[in-house]
Each structure stands twice: as structure tokens, then as C-alpha cells.
Amino acid sequence: EPVAFVSDATTPRQRVRITTLAEAGTVAAAIPHEAATLVVVGRVVALRDALAPWLQTPSAMPLPAGRIPAAAPVVAAVSGTA
């Protein structure tokens, strides 16, 4: 199975390490402990090449500090009887 380690995702320091499940322990041991790391296992790792061009567009880059948009509240109305 393929395994991807994505360290410091969505930052300029982002680093992606692709390996196999058999070698994952060795690769994980080499990742700095202070790096927040996402682990992706399985066939979905192959989608990286398909998504890479989209992820490099300016709209996908991180927002500047203090520019985090707030999500609008969701209001749901329930009607009827049980």
C-alpha cells in the first residue's frame, strides 16, 4: 500500500514524503517531531499527481494571518409532527 506523509501542510514549509507501508516506519522516524504531519494510506495517495496543479494555484494557497473567513451559521427549520 502507498503511504504519504504530509508535513506542515498548507504552509510554505509543506513537505510530502511518499513511501510504502513496509517502509513507513523508517520514513516516519526521519520526520522532525515538531512538524504537524498528516498520514494518508492507500490508493488515494495516487491522486496527488492529479490534484497537484490545482493545489499550486494562488487561490489554494494559505490565507495571510488574520484573514481567516468566518463560516456563516447554518439555520435549519424542522416542521411537521413526529
Side-chain angles (χ1 to χ4, degrees):
E1 289 286 323
V3 177
F5 292 92
V6 184
S7 300
D8 295 320
T10 74
T11 73
R13 298 177 312 278
Q14 178 174 309
R15 176 147 185 224
V16 180
R17 297 162 179 90
I18 306 289
T19 189
T20 63
L21 195 53
E23 297 295 321
T26 302
V27 173
I31 297 172
H33 294 289
E34 63 275 358
T37 303
L38 175 68
V39 181
V40 182
V41 180
R43 296 181 309 179
V44 70
V45 172
L47 295 176
R48 178 178 188 245
D49 293 334
L51 295 173
W54 175 79
L55 293 173
Q56 298 305 315
T57 62
S59 63
M61 293 292 114
L63 295 171
R67 301 284 310 206
I68 307 301
V74 176
V75 179
V78 178
S79 62
T81 58

